[in-house]
Amino acid sequence: MRGLAHPLPGAASVPAVFPLCAADCKASEVREFTAEFLEKVLEPSGWRAVWHTNVFEVLVEVTDVDFTALEAVVRLTDPCLCESHVGTFTAECVRELLELKGQRLPLQELWVVFDGSGALDQTALAIEHVRFFYQHIWRSWDEEEEDEYDYFVRCVEPRLRLHYDILEDRVPSGLVADYRSLLAQGEGIYRSFLNLRSSLSACHADSEQENVSMVQGLELYSELEQLKQKLKLIENPLLRYVFGYQKNSNVQAKGARPSGQKVTHIVSSAMVTGLLQALLRDRLCQGPDAEDTEVQIPESAKRRDQSWSVPRAVTALPWSALGRCALVHGSSTGCSFHSDPLLAVSACYEGDRVIVCPGRYVVQGAISITDSIELEGYGLPDDIVIEKRGRGDTFVDCSGADVRISCMKFVQHDAVEGILVIHRGRTTVENCVLQCETTGVTVRTSAELVMKTSDLCGAKGAGVEIYPGSTCSLSDSGIHHCREGILIKDFLDEHYDLPKISLVNNIIHNNEGYGVVLVKPRIFSDLQENAQGGAEENKAPKAQPRGEAPEELTEGAARKGVHARPGPPGQLEGNCEVVSELVAASGQKGQLRRKRLSELGITQADDTLMAQGLFVAVAENQFKWNGKGSFGTFLF
């Protein structure tokens, strides 16, 4: 029966008119503006619509419209046309339900029937606007929030943007699920709050029941406020980008192989004798335990039903060419051959190694590395290309204790999340090229990244996102043509320290914004509290002027491992900008930590900034042609 409904424009253009008409109204005036809007464009009677619910669809005729209540007065058509999704729900049940509703239905539940004349086009479109607004934009608690004239800017616009971003797959699926879950929780809590508030009016003053209800009401109100803040954080596109999505990697590590043996996995799109001989010489027959290495050729490969074929000469290779390696068919350990790097990584256990031969490999899913393995390209990075196709949240997820990735190029397409996410453990990226589309590398709390002689480009977000409590060492690498080069997140949360950062000999250039951005709170309430108390030991170190290195940094460089060596004027200025602001932020972080410890009666013997070990090195980096400069600060 929905096929009778009036055809409407595409989803992208549906909500364009109605929210704009309410741009200058307060939240409490939205219903009044809506009624005025509908009164101008809606046919007051004489049209048919499909009454659509989750249980049934029935054809009704509209005899009148109550614009103030956003309801239509209807009657069933004769004959009654009804389609039920539940066998026991009949047309008679529909009549009884309609009588209970007083023959009145919300306009949102009506789909205008197409008549071909075009007379009802505006009516159908207007109702669709209202339906969209109340389904996707309006929140039940909006009327009780700040009743100001900026309702459109404050609420409608960010929610509308988020809706389109979700439609166009710009938001991680996990974050979308979290957002919808928070909405459902908020609606439930708000209903409970309203019911409790209604019951309070029926209670006698100063009764015990009223006191209990008041406490419950305050708890519900506080919980609702927290949920609203989380929703606003997701709805705001800038804050959504800055804070990111804290997705957890739920894939469990396999641990060591039951047999205790380690396997080398060979990935090749076409295996030829010369390549196999080179692999045996350069990779497989090295080290004192080479005699224990076994080479496995899968039965499917021998039947030539994979994308690469095993050369006939493999089984006839002289044992001198094989060195001390044994060629064993059907063995479950030793060395295994694959045509897909995703399958090779999935087959890994703790301590395994994956060697990817030259070629271009297209993967459809995420590469999830949960154990300590080595992923190594056999050749130059531009010769070993792993390309991600299809829309998905992640490209490479790392949660192993010690993961090593080297000598390969990752190319990201149609992405929602970053090219590499390190959830925990240490990940070393060496001599790699990361061609991004969204965020580049994300280093989560308690994770560690070591990136050497690598190139990262093309991120629509930050090239590298560094979370509180993480460790990040970048050396001899390039970060360019991203929105921001490096984004350092300092939430000053009492549970996390500032990240430990080392930036040495990197070239950070041609980024749209800053080379390095520090995200931190606008107001340090704890610091203000300390200042009022006059505690001299808790004063924050002042940030140095731009272009000057902090005294503590230059004097303690050799002693504490923090370097600010001389270099070209532009280079020195950029390094000192970064160091200066990081030192200031570190001092503020240290103050909060000392304040909490002092409240517990604990004192620290060494109170110097450098003794905290927050910085390893910030030196000899080159900042060139970044749109907003070498260093910037984002206050939230």
PDB file of all heavy atoms in Angstrom, residues 10-34:
ATOM      1  N   GLY A  10      14.585  13.289  -3.772  1.00  0.00           N
ATOM      2  CA  GLY A  10      15.591  12.451  -3.144  1.00  0.00           C
ATOM      3  C   GLY A  10      15.823  12.850  -1.705  1.00  0.00           C
ATOM      4  O   GLY A  10      15.510  13.951  -1.264  1.00  0.00           O
ATOM      5  N   ALA A  11      16.413  11.923  -0.935  1.00  0.00           N
ATOM      6  CA  ALA A  11      16.624  12.140   0.489  1.00  0.00           C
ATOM      7  C   ALA A  11      17.464  13.380   0.755  1.00  0.00           C
ATOM      8  O   ALA A  11      17.322  14.037   1.768  1.00  0.00           O
ATOM      9  CB  ALA A  11      17.287  10.907   1.102  1.00  0.00           C
ATOM     10  N   ALA A  12      18.360  13.718  -0.155  1.00  0.00           N
ATOM     11  CA  ALA A  12      19.267  14.834   0.086  1.00  0.00           C
ATOM     12  C   ALA A  12      18.545  16.169   0.107  1.00  0.00           C
ATOM     13  O   ALA A  12      18.995  17.118   0.724  1.00  0.00           O
ATOM     14  CB  ALA A  12      20.366  14.852  -0.973  1.00  0.00           C
ATOM     15  N   SER A  13      17.378  16.261  -0.596  1.00  0.00           N
ATOM     16  CA  SER A  13      16.702  17.546  -0.676  1.00  0.00           C
ATOM     17  C   SER A  13      15.469  17.631   0.204  1.00  0.00           C
ATOM     18  O   SER A  13      14.855  18.675   0.308  1.00  0.00           O
ATOM     19  CB  SER A  13      16.283  17.825  -2.126  1.00  0.00           C
ATOM     20  OG  SER A  13      15.403  16.816  -2.572  1.00  0.00           O
ATOM     21  N   VAL A  14      15.090  16.526   0.865  1.00  0.00           N
ATOM     22  CA  VAL A  14      13.847  16.494   1.627  1.00  0.00           C
ATOM     23  C   VAL A  14      13.798  17.531   2.737  1.00  0.00           C
ATOM     24  O   VAL A  14      12.861  18.305   2.823  1.00  0.00           O
ATOM     25  CB  VAL A  14      13.594  15.079   2.191  1.00  0.00           C
ATOM     26  CG1 VAL A  14      12.505  15.098   3.238  1.00  0.00           C
ATOM     27  CG2 VAL A  14      13.196  14.157   1.045  1.00  0.00           C
ATOM     28  N   PRO A  15      14.812  17.618   3.635  1.00  0.00           N
ATOM     29  CA  PRO A  15      14.670  18.484   4.792  1.00  0.00           C
ATOM     30  C   PRO A  15      15.135  19.914   4.573  1.00  0.00           C
ATOM     31  O   PRO A  15      15.435  20.611   5.520  1.00  0.00           O
ATOM     32  CB  PRO A  15      15.557  17.796   5.819  1.00  0.00           C
ATOM     33  CG  PRO A  15      16.645  17.209   4.999  1.00  0.00           C
ATOM     34  CD  PRO A  15      16.045  16.853   3.685  1.00  0.00           C
ATOM     35  N   ALA A  16      15.199  20.373   3.313  1.00  0.00           N
ATOM     36  CA  ALA A  16      15.857  21.643   3.055  1.00  0.00           C
ATOM     37  C   ALA A  16      15.004  22.848   3.427  1.00  0.00           C
ATOM     38  O   ALA A  16      15.527  23.901   3.720  1.00  0.00           O
ATOM     39  CB  ALA A  16      16.244  21.727   1.582  1.00  0.00           C
ATOM     40  N   VAL A  17      13.653  22.737   3.421  1.00  0.00           N
ATOM     41  CA  VAL A  17      12.809  23.916   3.538  1.00  0.00           C
ATOM     42  C   VAL A  17      12.364  24.169   4.966  1.00  0.00           C
ATOM     43  O   VAL A  17      12.565  25.236   5.516  1.00  0.00           O
ATOM     44  CB  VAL A  17      11.567  23.790   2.622  1.00  0.00           C
ATOM     45  CG1 VAL A  17      10.639  24.971   2.812  1.00  0.00           C
ATOM     46  CG2 VAL A  17      12.003  23.670   1.176  1.00  0.00           C
ATOM     47  N   PHE A  18      11.791  23.142   5.619  1.00  0.00           N
ATOM     48  CA  PHE A  18      11.133  23.398   6.895  1.00  0.00           C
ATOM     49  C   PHE A  18      12.066  23.917   7.981  1.00  0.00           C
ATOM     50  O   PHE A  18      11.745  24.902   8.642  1.00  0.00           O
ATOM     51  CB  PHE A  18      10.411  22.146   7.372  1.00  0.00           C
ATOM     52  CG  PHE A  18       9.887  22.278   8.775  1.00  0.00           C
ATOM     53  CD1 PHE A  18       8.870  23.164   9.056  1.00  0.00           C
ATOM     54  CD2 PHE A  18      10.446  21.554   9.812  1.00  0.00           C
ATOM     55  CE1 PHE A  18       8.405  23.319  10.352  1.00  0.00           C
ATOM     56  CE2 PHE A  18       9.987  21.700  11.090  1.00  0.00           C
ATOM     57  CZ  PHE A  18       8.954  22.581  11.371  1.00  0.00           C
ATOM     58  N   PRO A  19      13.239  23.320   8.212  1.00  0.00           N
ATOM     59  CA  PRO A  19      14.107  23.854   9.272  1.00  0.00           C
ATOM     60  C   PRO A  19      14.503  25.312   9.036  1.00  0.00           C
ATOM     61  O   PRO A  19      14.674  26.066   9.996  1.00  0.00           O
ATOM     62  CB  PRO A  19      15.337  22.948   9.227  1.00  0.00           C
ATOM     63  CG  PRO A  19      14.836  21.683   8.637  1.00  0.00           C
ATOM     64  CD  PRO A  19      13.808  22.119   7.629  1.00  0.00           C
ATOM     65  N   LEU A  20      14.620  25.723   7.779  1.00  0.00           N
ATOM     66  CA  LEU A  20      15.016  27.100   7.498  1.00  0.00           C
ATOM     67  C   LEU A  20      13.942  28.086   7.935  1.00  0.00           C
ATOM     68  O   LEU A  20      14.250  29.196   8.369  1.00  0.00           O
ATOM     69  CB  LEU A  20      15.300  27.265   6.005  1.00  0.00           C
ATOM     70  CG  LEU A  20      16.542  26.537   5.489  1.00  0.00           C
ATOM     71  CD1 LEU A  20      16.641  26.701   3.980  1.00  0.00           C
ATOM     72  CD2 LEU A  20      17.806  27.072   6.137  1.00  0.00           C
ATOM     73  N   CYS A  21      12.691  27.671   7.854  1.00  0.00           N
ATOM     74  CA  CYS A  21      11.625  28.593   8.233  1.00  0.00           C
ATOM     75  C   CYS A  21      11.617  28.830   9.735  1.00  0.00           C
ATOM     76  O   CYS A  21      11.040  29.788  10.218  1.00  0.00           O
ATOM     77  CB  CYS A  21      10.266  28.071   7.778  1.00  0.00           C
ATOM     78  SG  CYS A  21       9.621  26.721   8.791  1.00  0.00           S
ATOM     79  N   ALA A  22      12.227  27.924  10.493  1.00  0.00           N
ATOM     80  CA  ALA A  22      12.271  28.067  11.940  1.00  0.00           C
ATOM     81  C   ALA A  22      13.590  28.648  12.420  1.00  0.00           C
ATOM     82  O   ALA A  22      13.903  28.596  13.593  1.00  0.00           O
ATOM     83  CB  ALA A  22      12.033  26.707  12.595  1.00  0.00           C
ATOM     84  N   ALA A  23      14.369  29.222  11.508  1.00  0.00           N
ATOM     85  CA  ALA A  23      15.725  29.656  11.852  1.00  0.00           C
ATOM     86  C   ALA A  23      15.736  30.735  12.920  1.00  0.00           C
ATOM     87  O   ALA A  23      16.649  30.792  13.728  1.00  0.00           O
ATOM     88  CB  ALA A  23      16.447  30.142  10.604  1.00  0.00           C
ATOM     89  N   ASP A  24      14.744  31.615  12.935  1.00  0.00           N
ATOM     90  CA  ASP A  24      14.760  32.749  13.849  1.00  0.00           C
ATOM     91  C   ASP A  24      13.839  32.560  15.042  1.00  0.00           C
ATOM     92  O   ASP A  24      13.457  33.533  15.691  1.00  0.00           O
ATOM     93  CB  ASP A  24      14.364  34.030  13.106  1.00  0.00           C
ATOM     94  CG  ASP A  24      15.386  34.402  12.049  1.00  0.00           C
ATOM     95  OD1 ASP A  24      16.574  34.118  12.271  1.00  0.00           O
ATOM     96  OD2 ASP A  24      14.990  34.958  11.019  1.00  0.00           O
ATOM     97  N   CYS A  25      13.470  31.338  15.347  1.00  0.00           N
ATOM     98  CA  CYS A  25      12.547  31.124  16.451  1.00  0.00           C
ATOM     99  C   CYS A  25      13.245  30.455  17.624  1.00  0.00           C
ATOM    100  O   CYS A  25      14.328  29.885  17.491  1.00  0.00           O
ATOM    101  CB  CYS A  25      11.349  30.287  16.016  1.00  0.00           C
ATOM    102  SG  CYS A  25      11.739  28.539  15.764  1.00  0.00           S
ATOM    103  N   LYS A  26      12.626  30.534  18.793  1.00  0.00           N
ATOM    104  CA  LYS A  26      13.111  29.821  19.970  1.00  0.00           C
ATOM    105  C   LYS A  26      12.638  28.371  19.906  1.00  0.00           C
ATOM    106  O   LYS A  26      11.727  28.030  19.145  1.00  0.00           O
ATOM    107  CB  LYS A  26      12.565  30.476  21.235  1.00  0.00           C
ATOM    108  CG  LYS A  26      12.968  31.925  21.426  1.00  0.00           C
ATOM    109  CD  LYS A  26      12.336  32.466  22.694  1.00  0.00           C
ATOM    110  CE  LYS A  26      12.701  33.928  22.921  1.00  0.00           C
ATOM    111  NZ  LYS A  26      12.081  34.480  24.148  1.00  0.00           N
ATOM    112  N   ALA A  27      13.228  27.541  20.758  1.00  0.00           N
ATOM    113  CA  ALA A  27      12.796  26.139  20.796  1.00  0.00           C
ATOM    114  C   ALA A  27      11.341  26.031  21.216  1.00  0.00           C
ATOM    115  O   ALA A  27      10.592  25.185  20.713  1.00  0.00           O
ATOM    116  CB  ALA A  27      13.691  25.353  21.752  1.00  0.00           C
ATOM    117  N   SER A  28      10.915  26.909  22.118  1.00  0.00           N
ATOM    118  CA  SER A  28       9.525  26.867  22.587  1.00  0.00           C
ATOM    119  C   SER A  28       8.539  27.346  21.527  1.00  0.00           C
ATOM    120  O   SER A  28       7.328  27.145  21.663  1.00  0.00           O
ATOM    121  CB  SER A  28       9.381  27.738  23.843  1.00  0.00           C
ATOM    122  OG  SER A  28       9.747  29.083  23.561  1.00  0.00           O
ATOM    123  N   GLU A  29       9.045  27.980  20.462  1.00  0.00           N
ATOM    124  CA  GLU A  29       8.171  28.496  19.417  1.00  0.00           C
ATOM    125  C   GLU A  29       8.148  27.629  18.167  1.00  0.00           C
ATOM    126  O   GLU A  29       7.483  27.965  17.196  1.00  0.00           O
ATOM    127  CB  GLU A  29       8.629  29.908  19.019  1.00  0.00           C
ATOM    128  CG  GLU A  29       8.556  30.918  20.144  1.00  0.00           C
ATOM    129  CD  GLU A  29       9.185  32.252  19.771  1.00  0.00           C
ATOM    130  OE1 GLU A  29       9.975  32.282  18.794  1.00  0.00           O
ATOM    131  OE2 GLU A  29       8.886  33.244  20.441  1.00  0.00           O
ATOM    132  N   VAL A  30       8.863  26.499  18.207  1.00  0.00           N
ATOM    133  CA  VAL A  30       8.972  25.653  17.017  1.00  0.00           C
ATOM    134  C   VAL A  30       7.607  25.129  16.582  1.00  0.00           C
ATOM    135  O   VAL A  30       7.264  25.158  15.383  1.00  0.00           O
ATOM    136  CB  VAL A  30       9.941  24.481  17.280  1.00  0.00           C
ATOM    137  CG1 VAL A  30       9.808  23.418  16.196  1.00  0.00           C
ATOM    138  CG2 VAL A  30      11.374  24.977  17.337  1.00  0.00           C
ATOM    139  N   ARG A  31       6.800  24.655  17.539  1.00  0.00           N
ATOM    140  CA  ARG A  31       5.485  24.116  17.165  1.00  0.00           C
ATOM    141  C   ARG A  31       4.608  25.196  16.549  1.00  0.00           C
ATOM    142  O   ARG A  31       3.897  24.942  15.563  1.00  0.00           O
ATOM    143  CB  ARG A  31       4.814  23.509  18.395  1.00  0.00           C
ATOM    144  CG  ARG A  31       3.448  22.896  18.120  1.00  0.00           C
ATOM    145  CD  ARG A  31       2.937  22.152  19.325  1.00  0.00           C
ATOM    146  NE  ARG A  31       3.628  20.899  19.486  1.00  0.00           N
ATOM    147  CZ  ARG A  31       3.223  19.746  18.943  1.00  0.00           C
ATOM    148  NH1 ARG A  31       2.137  19.707  18.196  1.00  0.00           N
ATOM    149  NH2 ARG A  31       3.895  18.643  19.151  1.00  0.00           N
ATOM    150  N   GLU A  32       4.673  26.406  17.081  1.00  0.00           N
ATOM    151  CA  GLU A  32       3.869  27.505  16.531  1.00  0.00           C
ATOM    152  C   GLU A  32       4.328  27.850  15.114  1.00  0.00           C
ATOM    153  O   GLU A  32       3.495  28.047  14.221  1.00  0.00           O
ATOM    154  CB  GLU A  32       4.007  28.727  17.442  1.00  0.00           C
ATOM    155  CG  GLU A  32       3.229  29.936  16.976  1.00  0.00           C
ATOM    156  CD  GLU A  32       3.465  31.149  17.865  1.00  0.00           C
ATOM    157  OE1 GLU A  32       4.017  30.977  18.973  1.00  0.00           O
ATOM    158  OE2 GLU A  32       3.132  32.265  17.429  1.00  0.00           O
ATOM    159  N   PHE A  33       5.637  27.897  14.895  1.00  0.00           N
ATOM    160  CA  PHE A  33       6.150  28.169  13.552  1.00  0.00           C
ATOM    161  C   PHE A  33       5.779  27.047  12.583  1.00  0.00           C
ATOM    162  O   PHE A  33       5.488  27.297  11.413  1.00  0.00           O
ATOM    163  CB  PHE A  33       7.670  28.343  13.600  1.00  0.00           C
ATOM    164  CG  PHE A  33       8.117  29.751  13.822  1.00  0.00           C
ATOM    165  CD1 PHE A  33       7.826  30.400  15.012  1.00  0.00           C
ATOM    166  CD2 PHE A  33       8.803  30.439  12.841  1.00  0.00           C
ATOM    167  CE1 PHE A  33       8.239  31.707  15.230  1.00  0.00           C
ATOM    168  CE2 PHE A  33       9.218  31.753  13.049  1.00  0.00           C
ATOM    169  CZ  PHE A  33       8.928  32.385  14.249  1.00  0.00           C
ATOM    170  N   THR A  34       5.809  25.828  13.087  1.00  0.00           N
ATOM    171  CA  THR A  34       5.441  24.691  12.245  1.00  0.00           C
ATOM    172  C   THR A  34       3.991  24.792  11.804  1.00  0.00           C
ATOM    173  O   THR A  34       3.650  24.544  10.635  1.00  0.00           O
ATOM    174  CB  THR A  34       5.659  23.372  13.007  1.00  0.00           C
ATOM    175  OG1 THR A  34       7.004  23.306  13.470  1.00  0.00           O
ATOM    176  CG2 THR A  34       5.375  22.180  12.128  1.00  0.00           C
TER     177      THR A  34
END
